[in-house]
């Protein structure tokens, strides 16, 4: 067996992680080995590339009928899915009847029926494969090595046992690595000595071999590791063997356990006692023997203060901070990482020798300005497991502790200045308004979108009147925890007044992201709340949502619109959220005025072109730039491209504006080429309407001739949302431009359902990974998998890859490790006006000249 690509599989598609897990567990328990789990059609397309036709597609559908039919159509277009049965699983949010979907699916069920009905519904479909199809493949009797493909499943542990003697025949290399027991010591070992099951005997497990998971402990050099194991039958040589898969519950051994730990570490972004909760969680899940968090003094003069310390052994006489050499190194900004030989540091740090720590990791805690504000020290007497798993977890934990320290300092300062609500610890109205003004300035400068939520508790006065103000205060504190636990660390929550809270959700890619957060807040608020005296209360909230810049461009109006939408939620029965909608008359007047002004923007010199550098991922030297259009409205200021580009497309003005942008950018690029001779690639975006223009080739050719720019330096970027089928002349235009010598890049790659179709049919030289995936590196493992698979797939198809939205060192390290070619984002440089970009190139030239004159 060469790998899973030769075996048919089952595709599970669900936006909610919990539902993907439920579907996977039902199919896995039934014995189906090759189950692909995806969030959406885009994610699925990447997973299925190069694989055999599917046995089955199971998709969770919600929303309206149009969305559901579109999802079904996208799924049918996936590689290997055209002829597979499609089972739809409907959530309670589905606003249509399954009868309306019968032409698009083979059968359906509700979410509540997954456990009982999924396999039965599939079995009733005509042409269903033999019941053993897709299950764990058995090795051929004439090929003793075939079963070893099991060992290729990353960090999975496999133990192969003789069903007659109940002794081990061999184990996978991962077992020896995780247990630190040599492989030779496992052979012929009694299975009862290797695995100790709870509630079931070894004989029962071997006899049933039904893939059920049983709690157990696996032998290790340090005793026993807790986890679960499941057994299945397989051929081994000329006979039969039992293959047992062991999954450790230690987060330092199993990637899944580690990944599940990360969201819990960040579960309460402003959390009350978040420091202690995160420490206990980390200490227990990683099996640490020692954990300490230190806070550096602000002035740097005094000794650091220990915020917490956990130790699994007996009471110690702890050495002072000044004697702990590793702590001093970390407070100076250096990281210390030892998997199992930390005793090498004992001469300079008595703590390590005193506690007999074999594994030791000490990391600096940085604030948002990358200044060291503390240190985290973690140790294990038996050493650490897979550092590729445990080190990222510890770095995430360090970021969490840094966040807690910085937030605590901000609150202390805020209380001193009267800017923080003393009851909840949240920014008060004054501080929230100040932050909102700052966010608006940043969003205006960067062309970003964000949302404002106005949250009002339903019937809160009745709680105060009935149970007293102390109970009301307790409710407000719990509401604060629930709100903070529903948002990201980059978002802002404030207590606006009484029972009113305000929230800013930043870096919005699409409105659906906001709707999901709002729905989550509604749901968590519904959970019963218990007062100190045992009284149970049901507290709900009504919310209004407004968007910047679509609904308003200033803080006062944004809050006003969100407040109006909140009252609309009250009128709709409370316990829900509503989106602000301006009156039709105002929307018409507003839109007409903008369209009218946009018609004169070019002639009035209101349009600008800014340039954002693209850098080589390894050298970080500038290799290209993207030209971006900006509109400076005389009254409104900088109008977001998210607003004026759609208006330009609606009115057809995008054709003339696009030509102006290309001509302006090519002139500028040629000027820089004459001055610096760097042969920088220039990326210019083409809209769907431009791509359908029969005169596009003529326009581009004319601009290149007029400006003298080498066609090989011009890269035309097309968004993946443009449909090949629905855009006449698209393929012909791009092929003609490619023959002219221009390069073609696919922008926002991964956000549409046609990613693979684009790569096959269009003459693309480069793809740009969408920033929505890049920004979630280090946060969402699903998005990390998409980025990793996209880079790999593009390279196999001989396409270069540019990652957009690179904002942190973590993004940079991940993209480098996965061989991304080029990078673009605020980590390197914001979009610059021509004069600023010219200074950047001039400074580069100066530094190179200095370097060349220095002696070798």
């Amino acid at each position: 067996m060469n790998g899973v690509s030769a075996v048919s599989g089952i595709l599970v598609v669900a936006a909610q992680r919990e539902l993907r897990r439920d579907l996977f567990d039902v199919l896995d328990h039934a014995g189906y080995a090759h189950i692909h789990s995806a969030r959406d059609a885009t994610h699925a397309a990447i997973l299925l590339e190069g694989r055999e036709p599917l046995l089955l597609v199971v998709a969770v559908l919600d929303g309206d009928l149009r969305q559901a039919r579109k999802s079904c159509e996208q799924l049918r277009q996936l590689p290997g899915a055209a002829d597979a049965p499609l089972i739809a699983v409907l959530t309670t949010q589905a606003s249509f009847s399954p009868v309306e979907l019968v032409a698009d699916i083979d059968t359906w069920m509700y979410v509540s029926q997954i456990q009982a009905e999924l396999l039965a519904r599939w079995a009733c479909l005509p042409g269903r494969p033999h019941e053993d199809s897709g299950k764990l493949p058995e090795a051929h009797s004439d090929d003793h090595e075939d079963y070893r493909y099991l060992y290729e499943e990353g960090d999975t542990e496999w133990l192969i046992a003789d069903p007659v003697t109940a002794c081990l025949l061999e184990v996978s290399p991962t077992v020896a690595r995780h247990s630190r027991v040599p492989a030779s010591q496992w052979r012929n070992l009694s299975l009862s000595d290797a695995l100790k099951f709870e509630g079931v005997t070894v004989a029962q497990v071997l006899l049933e071999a039904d893939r059920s998971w049983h709690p157990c402990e696996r032998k290790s050099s340090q005793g026993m590791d807790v986890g679960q194991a499941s057994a299945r039958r397989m051929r081994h040589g000329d006979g039969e063997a039992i293959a047992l898969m062991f999954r450790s519950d230690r987060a330092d051994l199993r990637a899944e356990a580690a990944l599940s730990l990360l969201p819990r570490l960040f579960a309460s972004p402003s959390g009350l006692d978040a420091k202690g909760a995160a420490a206990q969680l980390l200490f227990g899940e990683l099996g640490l023997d020692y954990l300490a968090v230190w806070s550096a003094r602000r002035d740097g003069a005094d000794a650091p203060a220990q915020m917490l310390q956990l130790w699994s052994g007996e009471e110690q006489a702890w050495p002072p901070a000044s004697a702990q050499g590793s702590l001093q190194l970390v407070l100076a900004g250096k990281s210390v990482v030892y998997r199992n030989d930390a005793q090498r540091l004992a001469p300079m740090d008595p703590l390590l020798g005193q506690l007999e720590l074999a594994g030791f990791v000490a990391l600096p805690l940085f604030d948002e300005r990358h200044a060291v504000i503390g240190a985290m020290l973690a140790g294990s007497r038996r050493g650490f497991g897979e550092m590729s798993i445990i080190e990222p977890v510890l770095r995430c934990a360090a970021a969490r502790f840094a966040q807690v320290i910085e937030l605590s300092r901000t609150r202390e300062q805020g209380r001193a200045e009267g800017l923080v609500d003393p009851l909840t610890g949240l920014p008060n109205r004054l501080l929230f308004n100040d932050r909102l003004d700052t966010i608006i300035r940043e969003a205006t400068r960067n062309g970003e979108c964000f949302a404002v939520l106005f949250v009002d508790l339903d019937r809160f006065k009745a709680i105060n009147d009935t149970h007293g103000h102390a109970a009301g205060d307790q409710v407000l504190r719990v509401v604060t925890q629930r709100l903070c636990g529903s948002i990201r660390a980059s978002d802002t929550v404030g207590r606006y007044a009484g029972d009113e809270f305000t929230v800013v959700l930043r870096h919005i890619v699409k409105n659906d992201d906001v709707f999901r957060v709002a729905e989550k807040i509604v749901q968590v608020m519904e959970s019963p709340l218990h007062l100190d005296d045992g009284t149970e209360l049901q507290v709900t909230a009504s919310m209004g949502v407004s968007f910047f810049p679509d609904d308003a461009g200033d803080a006062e109006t944004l809050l006003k619109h969100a407040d109006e939408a909140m009252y609309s939620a009250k009128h709709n029965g409370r316990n829900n959220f509503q989106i602000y909608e301006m009156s039709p008359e105002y929307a018409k007047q507003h839109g007409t005025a903008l369209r009218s002004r946009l018609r004169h923007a070019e002639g009035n010199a209101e349009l600008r072109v800014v340039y954002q550098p693209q850098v080589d991922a390894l050298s970080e030297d500038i290799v290209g730039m993207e030209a971006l259009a900006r509109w400076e409205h005389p009254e409104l200021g900088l109008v977001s491209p998210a607003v004026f580009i759609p208006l330009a497309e609606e009115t057809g003005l995008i054709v003339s504006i696009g030509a102006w942008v290309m001509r302006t950018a090519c002139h500028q690029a040629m000027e820089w080429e004459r001055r610096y001779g760097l042969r920088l690639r220039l990326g210019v975006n083409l809209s769907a309407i431009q791509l359908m223009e029969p005169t596009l080739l003529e326009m581009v050719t004319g601009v290149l001739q007029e400006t003298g720019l080498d066609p090989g330096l011009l890269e035309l970027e097309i968004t993946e949302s443009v449909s090949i089928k629905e855009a006449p002349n698209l393929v012909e235009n791009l092929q003609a431009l490619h023959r002219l010598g221009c390069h073609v890049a696919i922008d926002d790659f991964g956000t549409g359902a046609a990613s693979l179709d684009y790569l096959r049919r269009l003459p693309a030289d480069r793809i740009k990974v969408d920033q929505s995936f890049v920004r979630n590196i280090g946060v969402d493992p699903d998005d990390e998998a998409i980025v990793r698979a996209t880079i790999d797939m593009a390279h196999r198809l001989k396409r270069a890859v540019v990652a957009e939205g690179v904002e942190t060192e973590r993004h940079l390290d991940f993209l480098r490790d996965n061989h991304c070619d080029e990078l673009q984002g605020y980590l390197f440089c914001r979009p610059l006006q021509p004069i600023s970009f010219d200074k950047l190139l001039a400074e580069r030239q100066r530094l190179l000249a200095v370097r060349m004159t220095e002696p070798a």
Side-chain angles (χ1 to χ4, degrees), residues 42-49 51 749 756 759 767 769 781-797 801 814-815 818:
T42 302
H43 186 188
I46 295 172
L47 296 177
L48 297 178
E49 175 69 1
R51 296 182 183 270
F749 188 84
L756 301 175
L759 285 180
I767 69 170
V769 182
D782 285 345
D783 284 347
E784 287 184 355
I786 290 174
V787 173
R788 192 181 293 111
T790 300
I791 295 171
D792 179 63
M793 179 176 62
H795 285 168
R796 283 191 277 115
L797 295 172
V801 182
F814 178 90
L815 292 164
N818 287 280

Side-chain angles (χ1 to χ4, degrees), residues 258-520:
L259 290 175
S260 70
L261 172 60
L262 297 183
R264 286 182 285 160
L265 279 174
F266 285 84
S268 178
S270 73
L272 309 173
D273 195 29
K275 176 174 74 265
Q280 291 288 351
L281 187 63
L282 192 69
F283 194 77
E285 292 289 331
L286 294 187
L288 299 176
D289 291 305
Y290 177 73
L291 178 66
V293 176
W294 295 80
S295 173
R297 303 291 185 185
R298 296 193 194 190
D299 54 13
D302 298 325
Q306 190 176 74
M307 300 179 65
L308 65 86
Q309 179 173 269
L310 299 175
W311 164 239
S312 63
E314 297 177 355
E315 187 59 37
Q316 300 281 328
W318 302 99
S322 58
Q324 297 182 35
S326 54
L327 174 60
Q328 301 306 317
L329 281 174
V330 173
L331 291 174
K334 300 185 183 331
S335 297
V336 178
V337 179
Y338 287 91
R339 179 181 175 184
N340 51 28
D341 55 349
Q343 287 303 307
R344 292 169 51 189
L345 277 180
M348 64 167 286
D349 192 338
L351 180 72
L352 300 181
Q354 182 176 320
L355 302 185
E356 299 179 349
L357 299 178
F360 185 69
V361 174
L363 302 172
L365 309 182
F366 296 108
D367 64 12
E368 62 181 7
R369 295 170 298 282
H370 211 67
V372 177
I373 59 173
M376 183 192 78
L377 282 58
S380 168
R381 284 182 290 188
R382 66 179 179 181
F384 290 127
E386 294 295 316
M387 291 307 292
S388 61
I389 296 174
I390 195 169
E391 187 174 349
V393 174
L394 288 173
R395 290 193 180 277
C396 285
R400 177 70 175 116
F401 289 127
Q403 181 190 80
V404 171
I405 292 175
E406 190 167 20
L407 185 61
S408 175
R409 291 182 176 181
T410 301
R411 281 181 175 159
E412 289 173 9
Q413 182 179 355
R415 287 190 182 96
E417 298 173 359
L419 300 175
V420 172
D421 173 50
L423 176 64
T424 63
L426 296 176
N428 61 16
R429 181 195 296 247
L430 183 64
L431 179 55
F432 181 86
N433 285 341
D434 181 70
R435 287 187 180 177
L436 182 55
D437 285 334
T438 301
I439 291 169
I440 289 174
R441 285 195 296 272
E442 291 178 359
T444 301
R445 185 168 62 248
N446 304 331
E448 295 176 1
C449 301
F450 66 85
V452 172
L453 279 61
F454 204 104
V455 184
D456 184 88
L457 302 186
D458 297 327
R459 302 184 175 91
F460 179 74
K461 184 176 182 298
I463 295 176
N464 269 337
D465 293 344
T466 305
H467 301 281
H469 288 281
D473 288 349
Q474 186 180 345
V475 168
L476 292 174
R477 284 192 291 266
V478 173
V479 166
T480 297
Q481 289 179 309
R482 293 179 177 181
L483 279 174
C484 292
S486 302
I487 62 171
R488 302 163 300 182
S490 60
D491 302 326
T492 297
V493 182
R495 185 184 178 195
Y496 213 63
D499 62 340
E500 297 174 342
F501 295 82
T502 43
V503 182
V504 176
L505 302 179
R506 301 198 61 183
H507 308 304
I508 299 304
V509 178
K510 50 190 177 184
N511 290 1
D512 285 350
D513 298 336
V514 177
F515 301 158
R516 279 194 292 271
V517 174
E519 184 60 40
K520 180 180 179 181

Side-chain angles (χ1 to χ4, degrees), residues 198-210:
E198 294 181 18
V200 65
T201 65
V202 168
Q204 286 176 300
V205 172
L206 295 179
L207 180 64
E208 296 171 0
D210 59 356

